[in-house]
Amino acid sequence: MDHGSAILLSLFVVFVAAQIGAEVAQRLKLPGVVGEIAAGCVIGPSVLGWVQPSEALDVLAEIGVVLLLFSVGLETRLDEMKRVGRSAFAVGVLGVIVPFILGSLWAHGSGFDWAKSLFVAAAFVATSAGITARVLQELGALQREESRVILGAAVIDDILAMLLLGIVTALQSGTEIRLSHLLIVLSEAVGFVVVIGLVGTRVMRRASNLLDAPINPLSPLTIVLALCLGLAFAATEFGLAAIIGAFLAGMIASETRQRDTLEHQTRPLLALMTPFFFVMTGTKVELAQFANLEALIALAVVTAIAIVSKLIGGWLGALGLGMRGALIVGVGMVPRGEVGVVIASLGLAGGVFSPRTYALIVAMSLLTSIVTPPVLAWLLRKPAIK
Amino acid sequence: MDHGSAILLSLFVVFVAAQIGAEVAQRLKLPGVVGEIAAGCVIGPSVLGWVQPSEALDVLAEIGVVLLLFSVGLETRLDEMKRVGRSAFAVGVLGVIVPFILGSLWAHGSGFDWAKSLFVAAAFVATSAGITARVLQELGALQREESRVILGAAVIDDILAMLLLGIVTALQSGTEIRLSHLLIVLSEAVGFVVVIGLVGTRVMRRASNLLDAPINPLSPLTIVLALCLGLAFAATEFGLAAIIGAFLAGMIASETRQRDTLEHQTRPLLALMTPFFFVMTGTKVELAQFANLEALIALAVVTAIAIVSKLIGGWLGALGLGMRGALIVGVGMVPRGEVGVVIASLGLAGGVFSPRTYALIVAMSLLTSIVTPPVLAWLLRKPAIK
């Protein structure tokens, strides 16, 4: 089989597996995304080995999650985000501090020196907004107050996680940490989010006519997609995740009068591209690493710490929404997903920890993503106690 | 800049360049696709060097052209294709024979031995349906008789070109050619097209309800997209181009009652993905190879032979449509695009010809794709002489 042929086959396999997985999950009253991740686990190297990770598939996955957060942004207004700003900030900050402290205590307790422990703990910190956003969208819950708090907190979380990663990398490598440098990095990231959010919103409110100016009848869509790709790239240049830029792009595009058309046209794009993200997340699960009891126990402990610490942080921050709302926010912040995987890869590449610790952190990140959707769906569907 | 960041930047640059190129071309009353290819040439290694070819971009380009031919298939009914079957067959056959004869004469005249000349001539043969399909779709001309003949002929052309490439490769490498083997290859390819066309059409006519069976509200779209990827892959397994499978998938999907919704939902997918195909085609143009007069003259001669031979073949085959219709069909068959590039790469890798001949054939393939759209658009827009 030649190379082009092999790639088409893997596209087909990933796409079909996602559809089957989502359908089975939904028939079992679970969110479709659980089935997509599980399908990835089954067709990936761990079980059937039908699909091997490749750069092309990773790029499709990245485009998928970027489009997903863009569409979530399209359903979000800046004004509504501002209203929950205080809660979102508290959730973002506490959701970083609590996992970082508990994570570094666990790492030090398992024998890492302090510098390395802080690095390991950094992998406990960053929430991956993709999983939660997908569940909220699937259940039509994006307009709830809790959803806005989660999305706002995800932005804060990403800024803090980026800073923290910078600090622990410097500590680990013995580089001197300069406060002035950290302040510049922080203000650049905050500046990016604030400028895009405030200035972008104003510009887009007035730019609706410009979106229709090109001859291409689909130009409102193509222009905002260009904006989405551009801001996704720009976010990475400011040290943030690409999905933060994509979310901001969607949020400012929601100010245009073509908003409904854009939402409508984005749906087929999500149907084509997001399965690659969730299935590829599933293919990264390495079941073989946990074939013995000792490893399984270690995984259970790490995952429990990761879940409980984030839950406490998010819940404390969102107490203003009431017990139930705070619980939804806390659960929504739990998934670490691909962000944890990226930090674990950095740790492995930098020689901070062993392949075993790497596998542990990757598995923890993925496990938090797999257990969250059913719980979140259950909490959102359960009729409120009044 | 890290790797993920660099890829997002190139996605952004390619996408924006496509939009600007298409807009400028359309303002100049040219088809948008001309602007997209030209934009690729400008941002590619030849001029600005902002975008380098990469596997990820090539996969996006492939998905783009696969979706394009799928959507063209959605606008095509088997019954209408059958009505033009005889003309399409004649165009397909003559459009292969004439360029092959003229191409091998030219190659032999330029000093290649006969075995190599036949290989070079194979690069003159295969039409790339993508460019013409895009122009026909852009001008809303897919319902014209000429368009059906071109699309049918493109399928025949691809089957014959595949056979021919098998033969010349065997001749070149000194492998014995067995007629029985060729007959098997031919009947497999023809069988694939006929079975998918006939059986698939019947199945899809009855399967409309099944498309709505999954819980996913977009399931008609996701199921036919899976079919599209599956048949694109299957086509390559039968030695055909992926786009032939995608075209067949679209054609049989057009028999379902969800046809209009599918057409509507495919448009945003084309808006996102097809620019990658046309821009990446443009990036493959190597202007530097033609910086001297001698090379330019050689290119002019080769391109003239490629254009005239395909034009004559197509025109002769389509004479049943009248002089004007035959001319439209002839012009529509001219683009060689990425198919010529692929054959040239095989020739280079197999040591059949020099890098200079390779560059010549690549440039010829791309040039035929660039000159065709304006001429085709002009012929289609010109009021008929009655």
Side-chain angles (χ1 to χ4, degrees), chain B residues 151-238:
Chain B
L151 291 170
V155 176
I156 311 284
D157 179 287
D158 198 57
I159 295 175
L160 296 178
M162 180 264 298
L163 274 184
L164 203 60
L165 191 63
I167 298 173
V168 298
T169 309
L171 274 178
Q172 165 58 27
S173 66
T175 322
E176 194 191 345
I177 299 170
R178 273 177 303 168
L179 198 63
S180 60
H181 177 70
L182 284 180
L183 279 176
I184 292 171
V185 172
L186 176 64
S187 50
E188 278 179 355
V190 172
F192 172 73
V193 172
V194 170
V195 168
I196 299 297
L198 297 184
V199 180
T201 305
R202 273 158 208 243
V203 171
M204 292 307 271
R205 272 186 203 145
R206 288 177 198 170
S208 297
N209 287 330
L210 287 178
L211 295 188
D212 279 318
I215 293 174
N216 182 351
L218 282 173
S219 65
L221 179 67
T222 53
I223 292 174
V224 298
L225 284 177
L227 184 74
C228 167
L229 291 172
L231 289 184
F233 162 69
T236 64
E237 286 292 283
F238 284 90

Side-chain angles (χ1 to χ4, degrees), chain B residues 99-147:
Chain B
F100 188 64
I101 294 176
L102 290 187
S104 49
L105 289 177
W106 169 79
H108 193 61
S110 357
F112 287 98
D113 66 34
W114 275 113
K116 286 190 181 176
S117 296
L118 296 180
F119 194 104
V120 173
F124 281 70
V125 162
T127 288
S128 157
I131 310 278
T132 297
R134 163 76 189 266
V135 176
L136 295 174
Q137 195 176 50
E138 229 181 298
L139 298 179
L142 280 171
Q143 304 310 321
R144 289 175 70 137
E145 199 179 9
E146 293 94 340
S147 302

Side-chain angles (χ1 to χ4, degrees), chain A residues 90-122:
Chain A
V91 171
V93 173
L94 289 169
V96 163
I97 292 176
V98 182
F100 188 65
I101 293 175
L102 291 187
S104 47
L105 288 176
W106 168 80
H108 192 63
S110 355
F112 287 97
D113 66 34
W114 275 115
K116 284 190 182 177
S117 296
L118 296 181
F119 195 105
V120 172

Side-chain angles (χ1 to χ4, degrees), chain A residues 13-38:
Chain A
V13 169
V14 168
F15 192 77
V16 170
Q19 308 308 322
I20 296 172
E23 183 67 20
V24 171
Q26 287 179 312
R27 301 246 173 224
L28 300 171
K29 307 276 173 222
L30 290 168
V33 63
V34 176
E36 294 184 17
I37 298 176

Side-chain angles (χ1 to χ4, degrees), chain A residues 286-312:
Chain A
E286 288 186 34
L287 294 177
Q289 291 276 0
F290 302 93
N292 63 72
L293 191 66
E294 196 193 347
L296 264 183
I297 293 173
L299 177 59
V301 171
V302 171
T303 308
I305 294 172
I307 291 176
V308 170
S309 62
K310 202 74 175 185
L311 201 54
I312 294 175

